[in-house]
Amino acid sequence: MEIDLNYTLEEESECFNGGEEKGKGVVDVSVGSGVSSLSSSSSSTASSSIYHELWHACAGPLTSLPKNGSLIVYFPQGHLEQLISSSSSHYHALNLPKFNLPSQIFCRVVDVQLLANKENDEVYAKVDLLPQTALEEGNLERYEHEEGVDVRNCKGRGSGRNFTPHMFCKTLTASDTSSHGGFSVPRRAAENCFPPLDHKQQRPSQEIAAKDLHGVEWKFRHIYRGQPRRHLLTTGWSGFISKKNLVSGDAVLFLRGEDGELRLGIRRANRPRNFHPDSVLGTQDTPLDTLSHLAKAASTKASFMFCTIQVLKCRDTPSEFVVPYEKYKKSIINPVAKGMRFKMSFKMEDTAERRYSGIVIGIGDLDPYRWPNSKWRCLMVRWDEDIVNDYAGRVSPWDIEPSSSVAHLSGPLAPKLKKPRIDLPPTSFKNPVNLEDGSLLEFDQYMRSFKVLQGQESLGFISPHFESCEVQRASHTGFSESARFMKVLQGQEIFPLASSLHGRAEFHLNGATNNNLTYNMLNMHGRLIPPPGSNVNAILGAPLHEHFKLNGGLAFLPYLPNLQGSIVQSNVHFGQRKFSAAMGDGISDIRSPNSHNVQIFPYKLPGTPTVAKDCKENENELQNEMKSSCKLFGFSLDGEIPFQKSPSSGMTVQKFT
Amino acid sequence: MEIDLNYTLEEESECFNGGEEKGKGVVDVSVGSGVSSLSSSSSSTASSSIYHELWHACAGPLTSLPKNGSLIVYFPQGHLEQLISSSSSHYHALNLPKFNLPSQIFCRVVDVQLLANKENDEVYAKVDLLPQTALEEGNLERYEHEEGVDVRNCKGRGSGRNFTPHMFCKTLTASDTSSHGGFSVPRRAAENCFPPLDHKQQRPSQEIAAKDLHGVEWKFRHIYRGQPRRHLLTTGWSGFISKKNLVSGDAVLFLRGEDGELRLGIRRANRPRNFHPDSVLGTQDTPLDTLSHLAKAASTKASFMFCTIQVLKCRDTPSEFVVPYEKYKKSIINPVAKGMRFKMSFKMEDTAERRYSGIVIGIGDLDPYRWPNSKWRCLMVRWDEDIVNDYAGRVSPWDIEPSSSVAHLSGPLAPKLKKPRIDLPPTSFKNPVNLEDGSLLEFDQYMRSFKVLQGQESLGFISPHFESCEVQRASHTGFSESARFMKVLQGQEIFPLASSLHGRAEFHLNGATNNNLTYNMLNMHGRLIPPPGSNVNAILGAPLHEHFKLNGGLAFLPYLPNLQGSIVQSNVHFGQRKFSAAMGDGISDIRSPNSHNVQIFPYKLPGTPTVAKDCKENENELQNEMKSSCKLFGFSLDGEIPFQKSPSSGMTVQKFT
DNA sequence: TTGTGGGCGAGTCGCCGACAA
DNA sequence: TTGTCGGCGACTCGCCCACAA
């Protein structure tokens, strides 16, 4: 007899989309004696336990959560960093106001809830924190058995070899996700997790039902057929695939509870974030919410504080802004010094643990404007090996274990400085991070060596129009962040002069004819460098006549999607003259780099009243200015500069097509 | 010969979804000599003009825009109000920080751009404003021909009767939007707008192509067939419908330019906003962006300011926060006084204009915390007729025309006060706004009459536990806003004691046994009232044993989706005791009112250390407290109070199912 | 003149075993 | 043991007209 599940599935899907009758939208599994509001009939503790397991299975092996009741140190800065990197890119750290929050807050964890995003099934945790206002750093009595972090490992991933007998997790194949057929269940998995079939029948089949993290029940037809015989999920499967937006490479997992109840979850492949930029907006928490939330809690001295932690599966976005107090304390007791060598271990996706070593090359604030004197990622480090994750440039003191041997910066690095084997000419200098011997240079050392190589120290390189800025710090970190810029340049001729400076970022751009142009860009808060983890699809310093149609004086303004919505002031030194420009929120769409609509309002000299007043004048002046400057610096511009603009809106940068 | 457009349409749709090759994502039609970046071959002015028309056709007849070059007064407060009401409900006015911006800024309009949302084709305008810092109110010379607002009317809507010969607009029928067939083109429309068919053929057909606001070209097969003959769009149509998410009731419009170029636009039916709460998040502008933008502009005294105006089609969400200077000036010169009668005209959807009259019953700040001394909607008014739009309770001085006859409040209203024919007992008092004679009472008058009716002024009504609050204002406005609460109560027994007060909102709840309970609720900023235009799906004052399973002491906490994410502190007077509770961001999902997950942290008395510390204690105390209080006020609770909670997270309110 | 519905051909979905990795 | 493919039945989409409002 064939089982037709189509009708019931139709019902299910309606429920998932907008209905409210079955289950709660958000699963609430309190870690303590919490009641899972999804448990319908069976014992509440058993139900709670299987959800707990399902949640951790979905979260993956890398997830660590603070322990209920433990003392922790909470870093709002890190929290916001995570929120910003995970939420829509409309938010940018630089756009957030300064809230005058303490950079660290001592708290007790009073509740941990395991939740799941209703839109995309992404798991996250909500942690309620109770500030310990009476506690100051250090005068807190040692808490017995203070472990602070509750680590649960999900056993393995990928096909086969699951040591938890009642669970399996399979990475979806192309066949599994195609519209041509169903889901091929691994034999062992079906035998362990699904109810036994009646093998007396010729093609044994049954209906199986499994609830997801939201309590929504999914029904599938489970059949054992084919030659050779195999387990398949057929009817109902394609609906599941499309509703959950699963693609090959994602994984599904099934769990069987003690009572035989089936649960299923999904774990998406590590696709680039913002893959569906609009659908990820459905998250409940925005950086603004969190900030104002915290600010209010702080300003009113509320006894309770709420803090939602989004657990991310992406390895290089650490969610470690809730640090066990003991761990924090240890790192404070043994302060880290510049030049200190250290080790740090990373858990890998495959449950392995890798240890890397490195050296502390500086100590200082990540964001001195908003979070002065913060310990969050205050250590600038250089790794002995290449590391591409978010710990690349900066770590927090509690992340690392100091090594016994303390090296001085001038020691092991000096030899490298003496013989920098850089033989690339500057115009084709594509990747200055990885030098020939695979090592990394201190930034200023690199710069010096570079200048020596160029033999240009007194020539055009530091030309009269170069306004040297107060380099408060020029470190490997800065350099690494510059390298991020460079990574996306795709062969364009540009190299960083200095970056990650407090107050300003300087780029030294290479013109088409090997003449230099100093580009000085800073936003209202004095920082340009995108926050760690963000991708910059920047087009920096494209030669004027090659990539852009020049509609104004500032066609080389970079396209920085991360700055969308922020006000950026750029001061451009062009020849002897200095141009200032304010770039507004005109960058229209992240997903269409070709269609950015940057509005530039040039005002040639300080004091020039307005552009709107009389643009015609400025336009002509700018025209001449441009031409003479270009000539001065060796740009050859064929014919007239196409100088089109609307009279009142300044100028428009358009990509040349 | 049959024309197969499927392939080309496939191409189109790809372009629309993510491609970047064709056209700009956002149409830029500068009002001045701006260049439409969509114009490809034809004369730029003609192309610009037809886009201008298309934009206005899509915007509808109610849209008014500030004129380029004109002087205006800009009200950030109104701007935010509009942004908040149009964007996702994650934002709430009360969550926004105080930015210390001036409530009004004198500006010159330096550019107006007509734009369209890429996600949903919603039209909006971007207006660049240049603050006139030198100008103070009044010392600005009169500007010649200062009209300030550019009103363009889109001719009509709905089927038929279009007076613009080269354009038509048709509301889609069920057949038009079903997957069963194509689009039935009105005869006149096809003849006027589409290229003529070759009627010598038996079934004349052609391919027509039209560009939408984004410059994306849509191709359709246009055929003249059937018995009787009619014009149809077939191949290509269903793709358009599904890509644009059109449903029956929405409208499409076609425009033919001078050169024969076809354009098409859509105008969606006035569905309730937030119909697709997640997809509307795709808008570019968030309240935060705007606020920080403005704050920065103000703090850095930038010469330029950007201001994006989202033009809304919904009639009762005015976008009039950009006011022509002359209009503003007039309203200042002739100040409005309390008691003054006035007229005000509303443009209707059908191009008609209706005039309403009313009386000014008060003058004062809408939001004294953030925008003190603002003229934005500072007039509290009562209308002679029922008005349900956003002007119901408050208008701005420039919205109204003062009538010649100035009436005093005590005059015409006194008779009504003397004989309030209210004969509804308080327990069944469902709708106090519309009294029997259809008129409205002043709030305090209403309250007085009510008390007289009750004969309770010295009894339980103002009971010992009622903590009278500083009623800074009790006006019709306040009352009207309370009425909004009431509108959604659906027969529950509740009436407002006072609301829209500065600093707090008070509700007097009716218990099941006709005993009173004072519920005093305020958020951290001292305001509870939702912003105008928001819908409150509140469940206020539901009798304890009837609608809720009581898991804690505060089961009657209202469900207020608009407060999602905000911290609300509620002080509940229950018997002689006062309970305080902080409600966090636990309300989990707007769309599932049954699944709200309010977390309440009760602290019975000020000074009780924490809940987390030892909940058991408080739990028992609360149990007893609850019981005796209930007894005191005549609630009958059957058996034990089901007192379930997780030990550390306080209490949970669950809807009884 | 135009909205709705039945007829019906073409395309897609999804269940099946064959075959091979 | 299980991923992919061809075969093929069932279903839906969408073009056509009839019919009626």
Side-chain angles (χ1 to χ4, degrees):
Chain A
M1 184 188 130
E2 300 286 301
I3 303 169
D4 183 10
L5 297 174
N6 283 325
Y7 178 68
T8 40
L9 272 167
E10 198 60 29
E11 240 181 35
E12 279 306 320
S13 66
E14 267 188 25
C15 161
F16 180 74
N17 278 334
E20 306 151 2
E21 297 313 305
K22 296 179 192 171
K24 289 179 61 173
V26 173
V27 179
D28 174 348
V29 189
S30 285
V31 166
S33 66
V35 181
S36 162
S37 49
L38 272 160
S39 67
S40 48
S41 57
S42 57
S43 87
S44 127
T45 49
S47 175
S48 169
S49 151
I50 190 175
Y51 271 109
H52 200 271
E53 277 201 60
L54 180 59
W55 189 95
H56 278 283
C58 292
L62 302 179
T63 304
S64 67
L65 287 177
K67 206 165 144 188
N68 201 356
S70 67
L71 287 174
I72 56 89
V73 192
Y74 169 63
F75 292 85
Q77 185 181 5
H79 192 179
L80 283 172
E81 197 175 274
Q82 195 195 64
L83 284 171
I84 286 162
S85 75
S86 70
S87 81
S88 94
S89 45
H90 290 300
Y91 289 101
H92 192 270
L94 309 179
N95 283 335
L96 292 173
K98 191 179 177 180
F99 272 83
N100 291 320
L101 278 171
S103 64
Q104 55 189 33
I105 306 172
F106 295 89
C107 296
R108 189 174 294 280
V109 178
V110 295
D111 196 25
V112 178
Q113 288 170 284
L114 309 181
L115 305 165
N117 186 311
K118 210 178 171 184
E119 305 286 324
N120 57 11
D121 283 63
E122 205 169 345
V123 289
Y124 64 100
K126 183 163 174 295
V127 177
D128 292 337
L129 301 176
L130 185 61
Q132 309 295 88
T133 44
L135 304 177
E136 289 292 317
E137 188 176 314
N139 73 354
L140 182 63
E141 78 283 14
R142 194 184 177 89
Y143 198 78
E144 67 273 41
H145 300 298
E146 192 68 70
E147 193 48 53
V149 173
D150 177 26
V151 182
R152 311 252 320 210
N153 280 352
C154 154
K155 296 303 184 302
R157 181 183 181 165
S159 50
R161 315 301 158 268
N162 292 315
F163 299 103
T164 317
H166 60 288
M167 163 192 161
F168 80 92
C169 173
K170 184 195 175 189
T171 302
L172 297 175
T173 65
S175 296
D176 290 331
T177 52
S178 89
S179 65
H180 192 58
F183 173 65
S184 188
V185 189
R187 194 179 123 97
R188 177 103 37 109
E191 285 167 355
N192 284 331
C193 291
F194 296 161
L197 289 163
D198 176 14
H199 282 284
K200 274 168 288 186
Q201 299 170 33
Q202 199 226 338
R203 286 196 300 203
S205 75
Q206 64 183 335
E207 172 183 312
I208 68 166
K211 283 183 181 171
D212 65 13
L213 273 169
H214 312 294
V216 176
E217 197 176 69
W218 298 88
K219 287 176 182 163
F220 306 103
R221 183 175 177 223
H222 169 207
I223 191 168
Y224 186 66
R225 62 162 170 82
Q227 199 50 253
R229 293 268 181 267
R230 93 270 322 263
H231 291 271
L232 295 163
L233 296 186
T234 57
T235 309
W237 179 254
S238 69
F240 179 72
I241 288 292
S242 65
K243 278 285 188 305
K244 297 286 192 192
N245 263 319
L246 293 169
V247 298
S248 81
D250 295 340
V252 292
L253 41 93
F254 281 81
L255 245 85
R256 185 167 52 83
E258 300 294 326
D259 48 2
E261 252 187 310
L262 267 179
R263 312 282 174 172
L264 89 171
I266 63 181
R267 227 195 282 168
R268 292 183 199 279
N270 277 338
R271 278 179 284 206
R273 294 203 81 78
N274 283 348
F275 184 68
H276 292 299
D278 289 325
S279 66
V280 296
L281 289 170
T283 53
Q284 300 286 348
D285 240 52
T286 63
L288 171 66
D289 288 340
T290 304
L291 256 184
S292 64
H293 190 132
L294 290 171
K296 279 179 207 162
S299 67
T300 58
K301 303 206 190 321
S303 309
F304 293 92
M305 197 171 69
F306 305 83
C307 156
T308 301
I309 303 181
Q310 179 107 18
V311 174
L312 298 172
K313 283 167 288 182
C314 188
R315 184 189 50 183
D316 41 25
T317 311
S319 64
E320 313 224 325
F321 51 84
V322 173
V323 181
Y325 174 73
E326 282 301 314
K327 191 176 175 186
Y328 169 83
K329 199 171 165 187
K330 257 181 225 159
S331 78
I332 297 303
I333 288 167
N334 305 310
V336 176
K338 194 178 164 183
M340 191 182 269
R341 290 198 57 79
F342 66 92
K343 281 184 168 53
M344 184 168 161
S345 52
F346 294 91
K347 264 182 284 180
M348 303 312 245
E349 194 82 33
D350 53 6
T351 66
E353 199 172 281
R354 275 217 59 178
R355 289 174 73 84
Y356 291 95
S357 60
I359 184 167
V360 176
I361 59 171
I363 302 171
D365 288 329
L366 179 65
D367 183 345
Y369 173 73
R370 266 175 221 74
W371 307 102
N373 302 317
S374 168
K375 295 196 177 62
W376 176 258
R377 287 156 65 83
C378 70
L379 304 181
M380 286 165 281
V381 298
R382 190 181 64 241
W383 299 92
D384 297 339
E385 305 168 62
D386 253 3
I387 289 183
V388 289
N389 67 17
D390 256 3
Y391 292 99
R394 281 180 172 271
V395 299
S396 302
W398 50 87
D399 292 328
I400 63 171
E401 310 159 43
S403 301
S404 49
S405 67
V406 175
H408 285 285
L409 273 179
S410 54
L413 285 166
K416 286 180 187 168
L417 177 62
K418 280 180 185 160
K419 296 187 254 176
R421 293 195 299 274
I422 314 171
D423 52 10
L424 298 164
T427 49
S428 62
F429 197 81
K430 295 299 192 306
N431 189 359
V433 179
N434 290 307
L435 299 183
E436 277 193 326
D437 56 355
S439 70
L440 299 168
L441 284 183
E442 191 87 12
F443 175 70
D444 48 356
Q445 294 163 358
Y446 159 71
M447 280 313 298
R448 224 175 301 140
S449 69
F450 195 82
K451 286 172 192 166
V452 170
L453 183 84
Q454 292 274 297
Q456 280 189 326
E457 190 133 21
S458 59
L459 289 176
F461 197 88
I462 299 193
S463 55
H465 66 275
F466 174 76
E467 204 183 59
S468 82
C469 61
E470 346 79 75
V471 177
Q472 294 184 28
R473 192 188 310 133
S475 67
H476 172 64
T477 303
F479 185 60
S480 160
E481 289 183 8
S482 298
R484 263 199 207 109
F485 276 99
M486 302 207 57
K487 200 167 62 181
V488 294
L489 288 173
Q490 299 178 321
Q492 293 181 20
E493 293 163 5
I494 169 181
F495 61 92
L497 182 58
S499 71
S500 185
L501 315 172
H502 296 179
R504 64 211 313 177
E506 289 256 1
F507 293 92
H508 199 90
L509 306 190
N510 230 333
T513 54
N514 201 13
N515 278 283
N516 297 316
L517 202 61
T518 299
Y519 191 91
N520 177 0
M521 192 154 175
L522 69 163
N523 80 347
M524 291 307 178
H525 291 308
R527 292 197 76 219
L528 171 69
I529 308 301
S534 60
N535 284 315
V536 179
N537 304 310
I539 304 160
L540 269 180
L544 290 183
H545 64 287
E546 194 176 319
H547 290 87
F548 288 96
K549 181 155 58 179
L550 184 60
N551 275 348
L554 305 170
F556 44 89
L557 203 77
Y559 172 62
L560 292 173
N562 284 293
L563 294 173
Q564 178 162 22
S566 76
I567 297 179
V568 171
Q569 236 196 0
S570 67
N571 301 306
V572 177
H573 305 259
F574 201 79
Q576 303 284 355
R577 301 300 193 91
K578 177 178 172 181
F579 294 89
S580 291
M583 176 172 71
D585 52 359
I587 303 177
S588 53
D589 198 314
I590 293 170
R591 286 156 302 177
S592 305
N594 283 333
S595 72
H596 53 107
N597 179 27
V598 180
Q599 282 207 327
I600 305 176
F601 290 81
Y603 39 106
K604 189 177 62 86
L605 295 168
T608 302
T610 65
V611 174
K613 207 72 177 174
D614 191 350
C615 252
K616 223 58 190 172
E617 248 177 73
N618 285 349
E619 183 173 324
N620 291 335
E621 283 190 34
L622 264 173
Q623 277 270 11
N624 295 331
E625 187 76 43
M626 281 291 300
K627 284 191 181 174
S628 56
S629 295
C630 284
K631 202 174 170 187
L632 184 65
F633 284 87
F635 285 97
S636 69
L637 284 168
D638 300 332
E640 288 291 307
I641 304 169
F643 204 35
Q644 259 183 348
K645 58 168 193 53
S646 62
S648 56
S649 68
M651 303 179 182
T652 304
V653 177
Q654 284 181 334
K655 185 129 184 218
F656 195 85
T657 49
Chain B
M1 186 190 129
E2 301 287 300
I3 303 168
D4 183 11
L5 298 173
N6 284 324
Y7 179 68
T8 39
L9 272 168
E10 198 60 29
E11 238 181 35
E12 280 305 320
S13 66
E14 268 189 24
C15 163
F16 180 74
N17 279 334
E20 307 149 5
E21 297 312 307
K22 294 181 192 170
K24 289 178 63 173
V26 173
V27 179
D28 175 348
V29 187
S30 285
V31 165
S33 67
V35 180
S36 162
S37 49
L38 273 160
S39 69
S40 49
S41 57
S42 57
S43 87
S44 122
T45 50
S47 173
S48 169
S49 152
I50 189 174
Y51 272 108
H52 202 269
E53 278 202 60
L54 180 59
W55 189 94
H56 275 99
C58 292
L62 302 179
T63 305
S64 67
L65 287 177
K67 206 166 142 186
N68 201 356
S70 67
L71 288 174
I72 55 92
V73 192
Y74 168 63
F75 293 85
Q77 186 181 5
H79 192 180
L80 283 171
E81 199 176 273
Q82 195 196 63
L83 284 171
I84 285 162
S85 74
S86 70
S87 80
S88 93
S89 47
H90 290 300
Y91 290 100
H92 191 272
L94 309 180
N95 284 335
L96 293 173
K98 190 178 178 180
F99 271 83
N100 293 320
L101 278 172
S103 64
Q104 55 190 31
I105 307 172
F106 295 89
C107 296
R108 189 174 293 281
V109 177
V110 295
D111 196 24
V112 178
Q113 287 170 283
L114 309 181
L115 305 165
N117 185 313
K118 209 178 173 184
E119 305 287 324
N120 57 11
D121 282 61
E122 206 169 346
V123 289
Y124 64 98
K126 183 162 174 296
V127 177
D128 292 337
L129 300 176
L130 185 61
Q132 308 295 88
T133 45
L135 304 179
E136 289 292 316
E137 188 176 315
N139 74 354
L140 184 62
E141 77 284 11
R142 195 185 176 87
Y143 198 77
E144 67 273 40
H145 301 298
E146 193 67 71
E147 193 47 55
V149 173
D150 177 27
V151 182
R152 310 258 316 217
N153 281 353
C154 155
K155 298 302 185 307
R157 181 185 183 163
S159 50
R161 316 297 159 270
N162 292 313
F163 299 103
T164 317
H166 58 287
M167 164 192 159
F168 80 94
C169 174
K170 184 195 174 190
T171 303
L172 298 174
T173 66
S175 298
D176 290 332
T177 52
S178 89
S179 63
H180 191 58
F183 173 65
S184 188
V185 189
R187 197 178 119 95
R188 176 104 36 113
E191 285 167 356
N192 284 332
C193 291
F194 295 162
L197 290 163
D198 177 15
H199 284 282
K200 275 169 287 187
Q201 298 170 35
Q202 200 228 336
R203 288 195 300 205
S205 73
Q206 64 182 336
E207 172 183 313
I208 67 166
K211 283 182 182 172
D212 66 13
L213 274 170
H214 312 294
V216 176
E217 197 175 67
W218 298 88
K219 288 177 181 163
F220 307 103
R221 183 174 178 221
H222 169 207
I223 191 168
Y224 186 67
R225 61 163 169 82
Q227 200 48 255
R229 292 268 182 268
R230 93 257 338 248
H231 291 272
L232 295 163
L233 296 187
T234 57
T235 310
W237 178 255
S238 69
F240 178 72
I241 288 293
S242 66
K243 278 286 188 304
K244 297 286 192 191
N245 263 318
L246 293 170
V247 298
S248 82
D250 295 341
V252 292
L253 41 93
F254 281 82
L255 245 86
R256 183 167 53 83
E258 300 294 325
D259 48 1
E261 248 186 312
L262 267 179
R263 310 283 174 172
L264 87 170
I266 63 181
R267 229 195 279 168
R268 292 182 199 278
N270 275 339
R271 277 178 284 204
R273 293 203 82 77
N274 283 347
F275 185 68
H276 293 299
D278 290 324
S279 66
V280 297
L281 287 170
T283 54
Q284 299 287 345
D285 241 51
T286 63
L288 171 66
D289 288 338
T290 304
L291 256 184
S292 65
H293 191 132
L294 290 171
K296 279 178 204 162
S299 67
T300 57
K301 302 205 192 319
S303 310
F304 293 92
M305 197 170 67
F306 305 82
C307 156
T308 302
I309 304 181
Q310 178 108 18
V311 174
L312 298 172
K313 283 166 289 181
C314 188
R315 184 190 49 185
D316 40 27
T317 312
S319 64
E320 312 224 326
F321 52 83
V322 174
V323 181
Y325 175 72
E326 283 301 314
K327 190 176 175 185
Y328 170 84
K329 200 172 165 186
K330 257 182 227 159
S331 77
I332 297 304
I333 288 168
N334 306 307
V336 177
K338 194 178 165 184
M340 190 181 269
R341 290 198 55 78
F342 66 93
K343 283 185 166 52
M344 185 170 161
S345 51
F346 293 91
K347 265 182 283 180
M348 303 311 245
E349 193 80 35
D350 52 7
T351 67
E353 198 171 282
R354 275 217 59 177
R355 288 173 73 83
Y356 293 94
S357 60
I359 184 167
V360 176
I361 58 171
I363 302 171
D365 288 330
L366 178 65
D367 184 346
Y369 173 73
R370 267 174 222 75
W371 307 102
N373 303 317
S374 170
K375 294 197 178 60
W376 176 257
R377 287 155 65 82
C378 68
L379 305 181
M380 287 165 280
V381 298
R382 189 179 64 241
W383 300 90
D384 297 339
E385 307 167 63
D386 253 5
I387 291 184
V388 290
N389 66 16
D390 256 2
Y391 292 101
R394 281 181 170 270
V395 299
S396 301
W398 49 88
D399 291 329
I400 63 171
E401 310 159 41
S403 302
S404 50
S405 68
V406 174
H408 284 286
L409 274 179
S410 53
L413 284 167
K416 286 181 187 168
L417 177 61
K418 279 181 185 161
K419 296 188 253 176
R421 293 197 298 277
I422 314 173
D423 52 10
L424 297 164
T427 50
S428 63
F429 196 83
K430 296 298 194 306
N431 190 0
V433 180
N434 289 307
L435 300 183
E436 277 191 324
D437 57 354
S439 70
L440 299 169
L441 285 182
E442 190 88 12
F443 177 70
D444 48 356
Q445 292 163 0
Y446 159 72
M447 278 316 295
R448 224 175 301 139
S449 70
F450 195 80
K451 285 171 191 165
V452 169
L453 182 86
Q454 292 274 298
Q456 279 190 325
E457 189 130 24
S458 61
L459 289 176
F461 197 88
I462 299 194
S463 53
H465 66 274
F466 174 76
E467 207 181 57
S468 82
C469 62
E470 344 81 73
V471 177
Q472 293 185 29
R473 191 189 309 131
S475 66
H476 171 66
T477 303
F479 186 60
S480 158
E481 289 183 9
S482 298
R484 261 198 209 110
F485 276 99
M486 302 206 58
K487 201 167 61 181
V488 293
L489 288 175
Q490 299 179 321
Q492 293 182 20
E493 294 162 4
I494 169 180
F495 62 92
L497 183 59
S499 71
S500 186
L501 315 172
H502 296 180
R504 63 211 314 176
E506 288 256 0
F507 293 93
H508 199 89
L509 305 192
N510 230 333
T513 54
N514 200 13
N515 279 282
N516 297 316
L517 202 60
T518 300
Y519 190 92
N520 176 359
M521 193 155 174
L522 70 163
N523 80 345
M524 291 307 178
H525 290 311
R527 293 198 76 218
L528 170 68
I529 308 301
S534 60
N535 284 315
V536 179
N537 304 310
I539 303 162
L540 269 180
L544 292 183
H545 64 286
E546 193 177 319
H547 290 87
F548 287 96
K549 182 154 59 177
L550 184 62
N551 275 349
L554 306 170
F556 44 89
L557 203 77
Y559 171 61
L560 293 173
N562 283 293
L563 294 172
Q564 179 162 21
S566 74
I567 297 179
V568 171
Q569 236 197 359
S570 68
N571 300 306
V572 178
H573 305 260
F574 201 78
Q576 303 285 356
R577 300 302 194 88
K578 177 179 173 180
F579 293 89
S580 292
M583 176 171 71
D585 55 358
I587 303 179
S588 54
D589 197 316
I590 293 171
R591 288 157 300 177
S592 306
N594 284 332
S595 73
H596 52 105
N597 179 27
V598 180
Q599 282 209 328
I600 304 177
F601 291 82
Y603 39 106
K604 190 175 62 84
L605 294 169
T608 301
T610 66
V611 175
K613 206 70 177 174
D614 190 351
C615 252
K616 223 58 188 171
E617 249 177 73
N618 286 349
E619 184 173 323
N620 291 333
E621 283 189 35
L622 264 174
Q623 277 270 10
N624 295 330
E625 188 76 45
M626 284 291 302
K627 284 190 182 174
S628 56
S629 296
C630 284
K631 203 174 171 187
L632 183 66
F633 284 87
F635 285 97
S636 69
L637 284 168
D638 301 331
E640 289 291 308
I641 304 170
F643 203 37
Q644 258 185 350
K645 57 169 195 50
S646 62
S648 56
S649 68
M651 303 179 181
T652 305
V653 176
Q654 282 182 335
K655 187 127 182 224
F656 194 86
T657 48

